[in-house]
Amino acid sequence: MAKLYGSGALFHGNGSLEELKTINGKKAVIVTGKGSTTRNGSLQRAEAILAEIGVEYKVFEGVEADPSLETVRKGAAFISEFGPDWIIGLGGTSSIDAAKAMWVLYEHPDLSFEQMITPFGIPELRKKARFAAIPSTSGTGTETTSLAVITDREKGVKYPLASHELQPDLAIVDGDLCKSMPANITANTGMDALTHAIEAYTSNVDDNYADALAKGSIQLIFDNLKKATENPEDGVIRQNMHDASALAGYAFTNAWLGIVHSMAHQMGGVFGIPHGRANALALPNVMRYNAKATGRFEDLAKLIGLNTTGEFITAVENLKKEINVPASIREYGIEKDAWMKEVHRMAENAFKDVCTSFNPRNTSVEDIEKLYIALYEGEKIDF
């Protein structure tokens, strides 16, 4: 017997932010970033909706990219002082992931970070509040997932929090909120969603529902990502990419991910590489590596009108070129000596990442290290 995991309720479509009116509560805290939701007007719209339905609210602003444990603790204290029955993550992935972690500490203030990052170690939530996720970027699908990623700045390590308790009670997937995204962020987040879908489809978890969701996401991304970087104001294209992100989120919260994500978490924690770009950098060689253990990449090739695993990997690389995503760490601007100094430590931490256990090919620290080394110059390797 299996269960399909995902959001409690999901509204999607241009203008669906209005469905925030459906929440039933007295007090809410909106957790958001450093200004983008104010600039695009989504924060003001959310505030107006809460005021209209008589929900008292406060706003915790200032969540940084790759949210830190320090920010999470500050936010949890802010939330605890106000005592809401709804927590609303509004904005990019960082805002929503931080809000999820704040929610955990609001419900369980004595929980250590070590307990939080233990896979499926988060205790039962929803005794104090429920959670709503309203994304303004089309990438992680965090509005439909049981994951959040938090950075320990002192250690320089990103840690995934994995628990089905973290799945939002309400998700609003409104493409109108993404129209202000710059082309580079559209590209990075789109490649993040593509990586989610590919890794979910090829993971070692066999799930028909996740497979269908992943395929649907991949088709939408190949049809719309390049267009979204070129035509940011097109509402249909934006909604298609927003839907693709949510579908990929549903897929990987049921089938999980692989070592692309394990590697990307370290690249972000150590070098500050945006998560979607880190995924895009690692994806082609990891696909070559995993093709030794699964034939499922051929299914994805046929999905977009191709025939072989090699053709599908080339299609992914070509898409990256078309949306101006670098093909190597060198192109990204990191010095080789600095990169090589951290390779072994990153490989060790990536091997311990929860995502590694769902990779279709059994791996090792040594194999991950080889992948990191090849990544510096963008060398194509197959071993």
Side-chain angles (χ1 to χ4, degrees):
M1 183 181 296
K3 179 179 180 180
L4 180 69
Y5 291 99
S7 298
L10 182 142
F11 296 97
H12 65 103
N14 293 310
S16 56
L17 181 60
E18 288 296 312
E19 299 300 335
L20 186 57
K21 293 177 181 177
T22 62
I23 69 169
N24 182 16
K26 295 180 179 179
K27 300 170 75 174
V29 167
I30 301 172
V31 177
T32 192
K34 293 188 173 182
S36 63
T37 57
T38 299
R39 291 190 296 273
N40 69 21
S42 57
L43 176 59
Q44 296 91 320
R45 289 170 61 194
E47 290 177 307
I49 290 169
L50 294 177
E52 180 184 342
I53 63 176
V55 173
E56 184 184 358
Y57 68 88
K58 287 190 175 183
V59 179
F60 180 87
E61 294 184 90
V63 176
E64 72 274 41
D66 299 323
S68 66
L69 179 57
E70 181 183 9
T71 296
V72 167
R73 286 175 172 154
K74 286 180 180 177
F78 179 92
I79 292 168
S80 296
E81 184 176 349
F82 185 55
D85 45 27
W86 276 92
I87 297 171
I88 301 168
L90 172 66
T93 301
S94 295
S95 296
I96 298 172
D97 280 5
K100 286 181 176 181
M102 292 172 193
W103 179 33
V104 173
L105 290 180
Y106 173 49
E107 299 259 356
H108 301 283
D110 296 327
L111 199 68
S112 70
F113 189 56
E114 288 70 26
Q115 289 173 291
M116 290 173 67
I117 64 176
T118 299
F120 306 101
I122 293 173
E124 182 181 356
L125 301 178
R126 296 170 180 83
K127 294 180 180 179
K128 294 181 180 179
R130 286 181 287 171
F131 190 89
I134 308 173
S136 62
T137 59
S138 306
T140 68
T142 189
E143 68 277 6
T144 61
T145 76
S146 53
L147 284 175
V149 179
I150 303 299
T151 300
D152 185 329
R153 300 267 184 238
E154 291 184 3
K155 296 180 179 179
V157 178
K158 279 187 175 183
Y159 290 98
L161 281 61
S163 170
H164 292 305
E165 290 294 322
L166 293 175
Q167 290 169 357
D169 299 285
L170 172 67
I172 296 175
V173 183
D174 184 343
D176 282 344
L177 306 187
C178 304
K179 291 181 178 179
S180 62
M181 264 202 303
N184 67 315
I185 296 178
T186 299
N188 289 344
T189 56
M191 288 304 301
D192 191 15
L194 181 62
T195 305
H196 291 155
I198 291 172
E199 288 210 291
Y201 188 77
T202 57
S203 83
N204 59 24
V205 176
D206 187 13
D207 189 294
N208 289 331
Y209 289 81
D211 288 351
L213 293 161
K215 284 181 172 180
S217 176
I218 290 166
Q219 286 182 310
L220 283 171
I221 291 167
F222 270 96
D223 287 346
N224 291 276
L225 178 52
K226 184 173 183 291
K227 296 175 186 175
T229 64
E230 297 170 340
N231 303 288
E233 294 294 324
D234 189 306
V236 173
I237 293 170
R238 283 297 194 189
Q239 188 61 51
N240 285 343
M241 281 304 303
H242 224 27
D243 289 341
S245 176
L247 289 170
Y250 275 131
F252 88 73
T253 211
N254 286 278
W256 296 94
L257 298 165
I259 60 170
V260 175
H261 271 77
S262 303
M263 294 175 66
H265 291 153
Q266 303 310 313
M267 293 157 66
V270 177
F271 289 100
I273 301 173
H275 181 64
R277 181 161 290 191
N279 278 332
L281 285 161
L283 180 59
N285 269 347
V286 172
M287 291 168 65
R288 294 184 181 96
Y289 176 78
N290 283 336
K292 301 288 186 179
T294 178
R296 305 206 94 200
F297 294 111
E298 289 188 12
D299 297 345
L300 301 182
K302 293 172 184 175
L303 186 69
I304 60 170
L306 304 173
N307 295 303
T308 68
T309 293
E311 288 175 338
F312 182 68
I313 295 171
T314 298
V316 170
E317 291 176 319
N318 287 341
L319 179 60
K320 286 172 55 179
K321 290 178 185 176
E322 290 172 349
I323 59 175
N324 300 312
V325 173
S328 70
I329 295 297
R330 179 182 54 76
E331 288 179 51
Y332 189 71
I334 295 170
E335 293 293 331
K336 187 171 185 178
D337 286 348
W339 179 257
M340 295 303 296
K341 181 180 177 181
E342 297 290 349
V343 159
H344 184 70
R345 181 168 75 96
M346 290 195 298
E348 287 184 321
N349 287 330
F351 182 74
K352 297 173 187 175
D353 192 297
V354 64
C355 295
T356 299
S357 61
F358 297 99
N359 198 65
R361 179 176 173 181
N362 290 333
T363 190
S364 65
V365 173
E366 292 73 22
D367 283 358
I368 296 173
E369 190 167 355
K370 290 177 184 177
L371 289 164
Y372 274 132
I373 291 170
L375 196 54
Y376 188 81
E377 294 289 348
E379 176 190 359
K380 296 180 181 180
I381 58 171
D382 187 359
F383 65 96

